[in-house]
Amino acid sequence: TNGLIRDKQEKDFKDVFSALDVPCVCVCGNHDIGNQPSIETVTRYRSSFGDDFFSFWCGGVYFLVINTQYYEDRSRVPIIAAEQDEWLVQQLLTIKKRKPEHAVVFQHIPFFLKHPDEEKEYFNFSLNLRHIMLDKLYEAGIRHVFAGHYHRNAGGFYKDMQLVVTSAVGAQLGDNQQGYRVVKVTKSWLNHEYHTLSSMTVTIPPFISRNILRDVLMKNDGGNRDEEPAIYNPIAVRQLKAA
């Protein structure tokens, strides 16, 4: 039953986002391959959405997409996790050598929620691994990390490297409203702002999926309903992977 539901969710997801005019990228998380990833769950994710860790250039900015589930529990996928470890070493060397205008990381589980020395909990990294990773990224020149997982807005700084934790489009676990984050990038700076779905101006397309229709109705109804909208992050684009 769960498999059938997932198949329908993926189909609906791809139907909704296939009409976008810009390339879109998925960041793999625990709801995709589980809190304890397996060969089966990773294979299924890759067959549906493409690579689960990769890099790409866009407008002089170098982006790394990391699969943080391998840092949470790699016991059933040690070889794949080791491949990501080696890949990340090479990516950080590339950043040092190429010196992009900005180097940005996307990942699901944040290193920390508010402070780099906070205690370990479900929503962050273990303290020792956290500092190892923060030091690696910082030393390579990365100054912006974007994460999710927490279903609330949060974040902080490690030295002058900013970690931004964005709340969810779906279920909320705190006081934030459902929303998304817009990031503006120039040659000299990177700025971001969280927008709630209720603040959106919706243009209705010729074809409307049930999920989009529910969200439009919710917006017009003042956002009061029991069921959460079922719109999620976009589909990964394999062509963005760096050579």
Side-chain angles (χ1 to χ4, degrees):
T1 302
N2 289 338
L4 291 175
I5 293 174
R6 186 182 182 94
D7 288 342
K8 292 179 180 179
Q9 288 175 331
E10 287 186 4
K11 183 180 184 304
D12 190 36
F13 173 87
K14 292 178 180 180
D15 286 345
V16 169
F17 289 102
S18 61
L20 290 180
D21 295 329
V22 295
C24 299
V25 176
C26 268
V27 179
C28 186
N30 58 302
H31 291 291
D32 301 302
I33 61 174
N35 288 316
Q36 188 181 58
S38 67
I39 295 296
E40 291 75 21
T41 59
V42 173
T43 299
R44 171 161 185 155
Y45 178 86
R46 290 177 173 180
S47 67
S48 294
F49 299 106
D51 298 318
D52 56 313
F53 58 90
F54 54 96
S55 60
F56 61 95
W57 288 93
C58 182
V61 180
Y62 198 61
F63 294 91
L64 300 183
V65 179
I66 298 175
N67 189 341
T68 48
Q69 298 311 125
Y70 300 146
Y71 298 113
E72 183 67 18
D73 188 339
R74 62 175 58 199
S75 60
R76 299 178 65 187
V77 287
I79 295 177
I80 297 176
E83 289 174 350
Q84 178 177 247
D85 292 342
E86 179 57 32
W87 167 85
L88 183 59
V89 169
Q90 297 304 316
Q91 296 300 309
L92 297 181
L93 289 175
T94 297
I95 293 172
K96 291 180 183 179
K97 180 179 179 180
R98 299 287 296 275
K99 299 186 185 323
E101 299 292 344
H102 304 285
V104 179
V105 170
F106 293 134
Q107 59 190 61
H108 185 65
I109 303 175
F111 295 121
F112 58 89
L113 301 175
K114 296 180 180 180
H115 193 278
D117 293 321
E118 68 194 21
E119 294 297 319
K120 163 65 179 170
E121 60 166 275
Y122 173 73
F123 292 106
N124 61 16
F125 270 52
S126 63
L127 197 57
N128 183 56
L129 178 58
R130 178 192 311 163
H131 279 281
I132 290 173
M133 295 297 295
L134 288 171
D135 286 338
K136 283 183 179 180
L137 299 186
Y138 187 87
E139 198 271 335
I142 292 168
R143 294 297 181 267
H144 300 280
V145 179
F146 290 89
H149 190 50
Y150 192 43
H151 290 251
R152 285 156 282 196
N153 288 317
F157 283 86
Y158 175 72
K159 300 179 182 178
D160 61 335
M161 179 169 69
Q162 185 178 27
L163 171 64
V164 180
V165 183
T166 299
S167 192
V169 175
Q172 300 295 306
L173 298 181
D175 297 328
N176 299 120
Q177 297 183 44
Q178 296 158 320
Y180 58 97
R181 190 171 301 276
V182 175
V183 182
K184 297 181 180 179
V185 182
T186 71
K187 185 173 182 178
S188 57
W189 52 264
L190 187 153
N191 194 20
H192 56 88
E193 185 176 6
Y194 186 76
H195 296 263
T196 62
L197 291 185
S198 61
S199 68
M200 291 177 62
T201 300
V202 179
T203 300
I204 300 178
F207 168 79
I208 310 174
S209 76
R210 289 179 59 193
N211 288 340
I212 289 180
L213 181 60
R214 284 206 307 270
D215 283 288
V216 172
L217 293 175
M218 182 192 72
K219 177 177 183 295
N220 292 335
D221 192 34
N224 296 317
R225 65 175 186 140
D226 294 329
E227 185 181 0
E228 299 291 346
I231 294 182
Y232 305 94
N233 279 333
I235 302 168
V237 179
R238 289 176 182 265
Q239 290 87 337
L240 289 177
K241 185 175 181 182

